Amino acid sequence: MSLELVVFAIASGLAIVSALAMVVVKTPVKSVISLVLTFFALAVLSVLLSAPFIAALQVIVYAGAILVLFLFVVMLLNLTQEAEGHDERPIQRLLGLVSVVALGGLLLGVTLKAGAPPVPAAGGPIANVKDEIPILGRLLFSDHLLAFEALSVLLLLAAVGALILSKRRFD
Amino acid sequence: MEGAAMNAVVPMTVPLNAYLAVGTILFVIGLAGALLKRNTLSIFLSIELMMNAVNLLVLAYARMRGDATGQMVVFFVIAIAAAEAAVGLAIFVALFRARRTIDVDRLSSLKW
Amino acid sequence: MTLPLWLIPALPLAGFLLNGLVALLCGWRRAAKTTADWRAVHPDDHGHDDHGHAHEDHADADHGDHSGHNSHDDHAHGPAGPFLPYWQRLFHGVVGVLSVGLATVVAFANLVPYVAGSLATEGGLAPVIQTAYRWMAAGHVTVDVAFRLDALSAMMLSFVTFVGTLIHVYSVGYLQDEEGYGRYFAYLNLFMFAMLTLVLANSLPVLFIGWEGVGLCSYLLIGYYYEKDFAHAAGKKAFVTNRIGDFGMVLGIFGILALFGTTDFSFVDLAKQGAMNGNASISVYAVCLLLFLGAVGKSAQVPLYVWLPDAMAGPTPVSALIHAATMVTAGVYLVARCSAVFVLAPDAMTLVAWIGALTAVLAATIGLAQNDIKKVLAYSTVSQLGYMFLACGVGAFGAGMFHVFTHAFFKACLFLGSGSVIMAMHHEQDMRAMGGLWRRIPWTAWTMMFATVAIAGIPPLAGFFSKDQILGAAFGAGHPVLFAVGLFTAGMTAFYMFRLARMTFFGTFRGPKGAEAHVHESPATMTVPLVVLAFFSVVAGFLGVPEVLGGKNRFIEFLAPSLAVAHPHEVTHLTEWILMGLSVAVALAGIVLAWRWYGQAGATAQVPSAPANAFYMKTGILGRLVENRWYVDEGIEAGVLAPFRKIGTFLWRGFDSLVIDGVVNASAFLVELTGDLVRFFTTGNVRNYALSFTLGVLALAIYVFLR
């Protein structure tokens, strides 16, 4: 058993467990913290997949910014408990469960049954890359320049939109 | 084309299917949360989880193909997720102020 | 100096625009002023009791031309006087007459050299073709707006412009008391534009513009007294009846295009050479029938003639110009223009001849018993048009066109004369209330007498020569039956025309007591055109004196290059003499009979209807039929219109209400049902939507997996 396999097992186990915890726990704060854990585990998996840059983004942007924002909102609105009372929509719940199980079973079954796909001849795996960031940077500012610029506009719009939405006008 | 071949061919120690399985499991967990939870914020978190599960799948395929474009896609997904989270949380805040509840079952005004 | 041909139709068009615009603008101003005045006089009236004032305007527009009823508005010529200011009438009159007059000058400036040159040259001059611009081009088919001056169009052009100008002048006097003066002249100018386009066109599409244009103007002018029910009904009748013909005409044009690959009149030459696409005679036959259907509609032949008598609802100069001299002869012109095609289909020719003969005899019989002076002339026109088609049908296109030419003069003269009579009689049109008018209106009476003798076919007046040539051609072509029908019709023509003259101008006055003193001669603007037309009614025939009389038929000779058959079926001189003698004898017999029957009846009877009764009494059941116009209108009503209404009602009740509405209502019901169904899913609950979404994804995943 190589080290990589061990790390993979630990990280993926942590991700799944904390994800389950996120869904199961009732307190919003604990939910968010569980998700942060999941994201950290996912960052580890990203490193295993030779994507250290994405792993960094995962930690800095997702865990560091987005989920902190969630945490901030939870505390701002003082959300301590999930909505009480039992579910008034049993059919909805049942159907939801059935569809989740069915879809999950289908996807997992397909994935596991398919076996390892062949590695394509053209282009190799991205192992042993010391420095992948220049490659990504070049890609970003050449092939994906338009998407990149559009993204900047989108982020600006999102910031402005968030500002306008959270003004107290709606009271 | 630099996106096509990143480097020399090194086989993956952990099989691709393992990553795919983990991603799928995470996705299904997220789906279950989104469908079954009634807390609006939890649903939101579940959606984020689903998004990350998909990110993992994309990274795994990118690794398998040795194609950096997969990482590009993940990069964009994360950036858009940031925008989405900002707007979504703003909507959430506005909604909570207006309705004083986070129960999705109380939010049934979409039919108007 | 050469004046381009396009000027000829363009001048009346300019006149139309000028007259129409001024009439519109002044009409608006006058309407506004009338309303304002009326408000000032009736401050608290809300528009119910306006008969006394506001309708006075229309009273004068009441001018006669009633068909059917002869009620008389006492205040028709009240103290109100003309409704248009003098300068305005002057303007409309001058613009109307001048635009057409100038067109006539341009026309003759082109005509005279052409005719002179053509007569001097063996085989005539080549047609003058002037292209204005390319109208459309589609593939190898191009249509140019081009004008053509050849023998046929020169002939038509000469009398259309000439008679048109005279009738414009006449209208200045005839409509002097009309409110719609400007409108009238605008329409009349527009008519001249359309007619000249029709005559000068170098291709069937351009001719069709004129064809539809004259139809439109005919409709507008028949309905000139639009506030009268019978007038606009007559206009609609004319328009709708003409549509039947026009649909044939359009299909005929397409047929010509299919046969010859071109629609300009070069197809005539192609037809003469027999250069057609395909050689199925049935298609030529079909094309001829379709074109003839157009001619039947426009020229009021059986069975589409019924609109023309009703068209008398329009002002009398309109009847003279459009419904006697020019427009209705367009059908004959069309057949003559396409004569080269028609001769390729002998069966179609025979049909043309028989339709013409049938129309001639049918209309003539109806004309025998009409009491409305204009109706007699209307049926006479239909009958004479039948003659022209009879001529074309037996191959004597030249003779037919000759009759078109002479008929234009004497029939215009007759109509204008009848207009003068009607005006003198203060809009009385019933001949039973006339009599002995020649003493009061000598100019009208004598000019009309010349035209009457001319149409009756008494030598040496115009009608004799043209009619005789038609009869001779019918006989020569081996159609003794057609000849007999024509001869019989000639006798009837003489009879009804002299019946008209006898009842109107001779005998004693039968109108209301004291009315005779008010009968007055028309102004010079009306009598001068009458005199001119009477003169031409006398002399026009000398253009085509047959050889047997020692003349030289210059008319036919001139037309020959444009026609397919120049000299049809010569008969021996002896035969020709006999035929002539026969036709003159028959005409004289008709005259004598009319004179005898209507001589004393009019003089003695205190009852105004005595002369009409005389006709019925002398001819029995046949006369009754004739007096009721063979019940053709009633027959059409029962045989064509009633079934159509039944079909219409069926389609309305059975098809529209049931099927169409059913389909619409069913689809509406379906939408409603769908809406109800969808509303069940539209809970507004976000989780429901998420679940639906997931189920959809699941279904898709299963589909992809199983595929």
Side-chain angles (χ1 to χ4, degrees):
Chain A
M1 237 171 45
S2 67
L3 180 66
E4 197 179 339
L5 209 55
V6 174
V7 174
F8 171 78
I10 293 171
S12 50
L14 180 66
I16 290 169
V17 169
S18 55
L20 275 173
M22 189 275 283
V23 175
V24 172
V25 293
K26 299 267 180 209
T27 329
V29 181
K30 287 180 187 164
S31 246
V32 177
I33 299 293
S34 311
L35 197 61
V36 172
L37 260 180
T38 312
F39 285 176
F40 271 115
L42 280 174
V44 173
L45 289 180
S46 299
V47 173
L48 284 186
L49 284 170
S50 315
F53 176 63
I54 297 296
L57 276 185
Q58 184 87 357
V59 172
I60 296 168
V61 177
Y62 244 122
I66 299 179
L67 287 184
V68 167
L69 195 61
F70 272 87
L71 213 51
F72 180 71
V73 168
V74 169
M75 290 174 171
L76 178 76
L77 301 181
N78 198 17
L79 307 171
T80 47
Q81 282 293 307
E82 192 172 342
E84 285 104 279
H86 72 287
D87 201 323
E88 291 157 17
R89 295 167 190 275
I91 298 174
Q92 155 87 27
R93 195 173 184 81
L94 184 70
L95 272 175
L97 261 174
V98 168
S99 63
V100 165
V101 169
L103 197 59
L106 189 70
L107 289 177
L108 267 179
V110 171
T111 313
L112 296 177
K113 194 182 140 207
V119 174
I126 343 169
N128 280 355
V129 180
K130 285 274 175 311
D131 207 4
E132 59 151 18
I133 293 180
I135 300 175
L136 287 181
R138 263 201 294 282
L139 264 182
L140 197 56
F141 291 106
S142 60
D143 286 9
H144 302 286
L145 184 63
L146 183 66
F148 184 71
E149 294 297 339
L151 192 62
S152 65
V153 175
L154 178 72
L155 283 171
L156 179 67
L157 283 180
V160 174
L163 253 171
I164 291 173
L165 276 172
S166 42
K167 275 170 75 175
R168 285 201 162 267
R169 197 151 43 92
F170 292 103
D171 287 356
Chain B
M1 185 72 218
E2 45 203 326
M6 297 260 292
N7 221 314
V9 179
V10 174
M12 292 164 76
T13 4
V14 182
L16 177 70
N17 281 356
Y19 287 104
L20 298 186
V22 172
T24 308
I25 289 168
L26 286 177
F27 183 83
V28 172
I29 292 172
L31 182 66
L35 277 187
L36 302 176
K37 302 273 292 186
R38 283 182 295 156
N39 184 332
T40 318
L41 195 79
S42 297
I43 292 173
F44 204 166
L45 288 172
S46 305
I47 293 170
E48 296 289 338
L49 177 61
M50 286 159 80
M51 209 146 28
N52 274 277
V54 174
N55 275 355
L56 181 64
L57 296 183
V58 174
L59 282 180
Y61 280 121
R63 168 72 172 75
M64 185 265 281
R65 292 177 58 84
D67 191 338
T69 310
Q71 296 195 16
M72 272 346 300
V73 170
V74 175
F75 170 80
F76 283 120
V77 170
I78 290 176
I80 290 170
E84 175 251 335
V87 176
L89 281 171
I91 292 173
F92 177 76
V93 169
L95 202 60
F96 184 76
R97 280 200 194 124
R99 295 295 189 85
R100 288 281 141 203
T101 180
I102 51 166
D103 187 350
V104 272
D105 284 349
R106 303 275 90 78
L107 306 177
S108 58
S109 51
L110 264 185
K111 66 184 159 196
W112 287 317
Chain C
M1 184 180 68
T2 52
L3 294 163
L5 288 174
W6 60 262
L7 263 179
I8 302 172
L11 279 166
L13 183 64
F16 158 70
L17 291 174
L18 207 56
N19 263 336
L21 275 177
V22 170
L24 259 186
L25 295 175
C26 294
W28 285 337
R29 274 189 53 196
R30 199 166 54 251
K33 193 167 173 301
T34 311
T35 315
D37 288 353
W38 190 82
R39 289 261 162 74
V41 179
H42 304 262
D44 44 30
D45 198 322
H46 295 295
H48 294 296
D49 186 24
D50 56 354
H51 194 266
H53 187 93
H55 278 188
E56 213 164 22
D57 291 355
H58 304 300
D60 229 36
D62 232 35
H63 283 338
D65 304 314
H66 310 207
S67 56
H69 71 105
N70 301 288
S71 69
H72 205 92
D73 263 326
D74 274 358
H75 62 294
H77 278 272
F83 286 91
L84 291 188
Y86 177 73
W87 68 266
Q88 211 166 305
R89 283 190 296 133
L90 192 71
F91 173 83
H92 288 312
V94 165
V95 169
V97 171
L98 215 61
S99 60
V100 178
L102 281 176
T104 309
V105 170
V106 176
F108 276 85
N110 279 296
L111 272 174
V112 171
Y114 183 80
V115 174
S118 196
L119 283 176
T121 318
E122 185 70 31
L125 286 180
V128 178
I129 296 170
Q130 296 177 3
T131 304
Y133 61 93
R134 171 143 296 178
W135 183 12
M136 48 181 143
H140 64 286
V141 181
T142 55
V143 179
D144 291 333
V145 174
F147 299 105
R148 175 193 188 96
L149 188 69
D150 63 358
L152 201 54
S153 60
M155 194 281 284
M156 291 293 285
L157 187 62
S158 65
F159 77 80
V160 167
T161 51
F162 184 71
V163 175
T165 311
L166 286 178
I167 289 173
H168 272 73
V169 172
Y170 179 93
S171 300
V172 170
Y174 187 79
L175 281 101
Q176 57 190 356
D177 296 333
E178 298 277 343
E179 197 189 5
Y181 205 71
R183 180 165 57 95
Y184 174 84
F185 273 102
Y187 290 164
L188 214 57
N189 280 347
L190 184 63
F191 170 78
M192 288 304 290
F193 158 71
M195 189 70 207
L196 291 170
T197 309
L198 194 162
V199 165
L200 284 171
N202 185 37
S203 62
L204 284 173
V206 178
L207 181 142
F208 191 67
I209 294 177
W211 188 273
E212 289 300 305
V214 291
L216 169 72
C217 294
S218 164
Y219 160 76
L220 290 171
L221 285 164
I222 294 169
Y224 174 74
Y225 299 114
Y226 54 84
E227 66 273 18
K228 302 270 182 216
D229 276 346
F230 68 84
H232 63 70
K236 274 186 281 187
K237 187 172 180 179
F239 204 72
V240 171
T241 313
N242 267 300
R243 291 277 78 65
I244 301 173
D246 291 346
F247 118 88
M249 170 85 177
V250 174
L251 291 181
I253 292 174
F254 289 140
I256 290 283
L257 182 63
L259 277 181
F260 301 104
T262 176
T263 55
D264 71 41
F265 289 149
S266 56
F267 76 76
V268 172
D269 300 323
L270 293 175
K272 277 180 185 164
Q273 299 155 12
M276 280 178 296
N277 299 331
N279 52 3
S281 61
I282 185 79
S283 57
V284 182
Y285 184 63
V287 167
C288 286
L289 281 192
L290 289 169
L291 287 175
F292 182 56
L293 181 59
V296 162
K298 191 60 82 191
S299 292
Q301 297 296 293
V302 169
L304 300 180
Y305 74 92
V306 287
W307 66 269
L308 187 55
D310 283 21
M312 295 302 125
T316 308
V318 168
S319 312
L321 178 60
I322 301 183
H323 305 122
T326 56
M327 182 187 87
V328 288
T329 60
V332 189
Y333 170 72
L334 179 70
V335 172
R337 179 59 86 188
C338 303
S339 53
V341 185
F342 273 86
V343 292
L344 296 176
D347 291 343
M349 294 274 284
T350 311
L351 183 76
V352 171
W354 277 103
I355 291 278
L358 182 62
T359 309
V361 71
L362 187 78
T365 54
I366 297 174
L368 293 177
Q370 295 295 308
N371 289 318
D372 185 319
I373 185 167
K374 283 183 75 181
K375 283 287 169 87
V376 176
L377 293 177
Y379 282 106
S380 161
T381 305
V382 176
S383 172
Q384 298 301 312
L385 289 166
Y387 257 115
M388 299 166 199
F389 279 107
L390 169 58
C392 293
V394 297
F397 296 103
M401 290 315 286
F402 190 33
H403 200 52
V404 168
F405 186 73
T406 56
H407 177 257
F409 293 110
F410 55 67
K411 188 50 69 65
C413 184
L414 286 170
F415 262 114
L416 294 186
S418 77
S420 185
V421 168
I422 291 165
M423 207 173 165
M425 291 295 293
H426 300 286
H427 303 281
E428 176 62 76
Q429 293 183 209
D430 195 330
M431 296 190 296
R432 287 170 298 193
M434 298 177 186
L437 293 181
W438 72 271
R439 288 181 215 88
R440 309 289 308 175
I441 45 173
W443 285 100
T444 306
W446 291 121
T447 50
M448 251 185 109
M449 280 315 293
F450 275 118
T452 305
V453 178
I455 194 177
I458 303 298
L461 275 66
F464 165 75
F465 293 105
S466 52
K467 203 179 283 184
D468 186 64
Q469 279 173 31
I470 293 174
L471 292 177
F475 189 82
H479 292 290
V481 182
L482 288 177
F483 168 76
V485 169
L487 198 62
F488 182 51
T489 307
M492 284 194 289
T493 307
F495 177 86
Y496 64 65
M497 284 316 299
F498 272 84
R499 172 174 173 271
L500 182 149
R502 188 80 167 109
M503 288 173 78
T504 308
F505 296 120
F506 301 101
T508 54
F509 188 72
R510 293 179 301 274
K513 277 201 167 50
E516 194 177 7
H518 296 293
V519 176
H520 54 83
E521 183 60 283
S522 302
T525 47
M526 292 165 67
T527 49
V528 170
L530 278 174
V531 172
V532 176
L533 286 171
F535 174 72
F536 278 97
S537 307
V538 174
V539 302
F542 293 123
L543 290 174
V545 179
E547 272 174 53
V548 65
L549 294 179
K552 202 169 164 224
N553 204 334
R554 291 182 170 280
F555 192 89
I556 306 285
E557 210 170 87
F558 172 67
L559 279 185
S562 292
L563 301 172
V565 191
H567 300 284
H569 315 296
E570 297 286 338
V571 287
T572 62
H573 282 189
L574 179 63
T575 321
E576 209 164 339
W577 277 111
I578 295 172
L579 295 180
M580 268 185 215
L582 261 177
S583 77
V584 174
V586 166
L588 284 175
I591 293 171
V592 170
L593 195 62
W595 211 258
R596 283 175 55 97
W597 281 12
Y598 291 94
Q600 292 313 307
T604 57
Q606 294 305 307
V607 191
S609 61
N613 284 345
F615 184 81
Y616 157 59
M617 287 183 311
K618 288 199 199 290
T619 48
I621 184 72
L622 211 59
R624 181 80 88 185
L625 275 177
V626 162
E627 262 182 69
N628 287 294
R629 304 181 302 278
W630 296 107
Y631 294 100
V632 166
D633 278 306
E634 289 79 358
I636 289 176
E637 171 64 38
V640 180
L641 298 184
F644 259 95
R645 283 200 196 91
K646 284 227 174 67
I647 293 170
T649 311
F650 166 73
L651 288 178
W652 162 40
R653 292 255 167 74
F655 190 73
D656 193 67
S657 296
L658 230 66
V659 179
I660 303 282
D661 289 4
V663 167
V664 172
N665 290 338
S667 56
F669 177 72
L670 210 68
V671 169
E672 195 185 333
L673 201 71
T674 317
D676 283 346
L677 212 68
V678 170
R679 192 166 60 189
F680 174 73
F681 293 106
T682 312
T683 55
N685 186 293
V686 186
R687 286 173 67 197
N688 289 157
Y689 296 162
L691 180 63
S692 315
F693 182 84
T694 313
L695 288 174
V697 171
L698 182 63
L700 268 179
I702 291 173
Y703 170 73
V704 171
F705 178 66
L706 291 181
R707 197 160 57 112

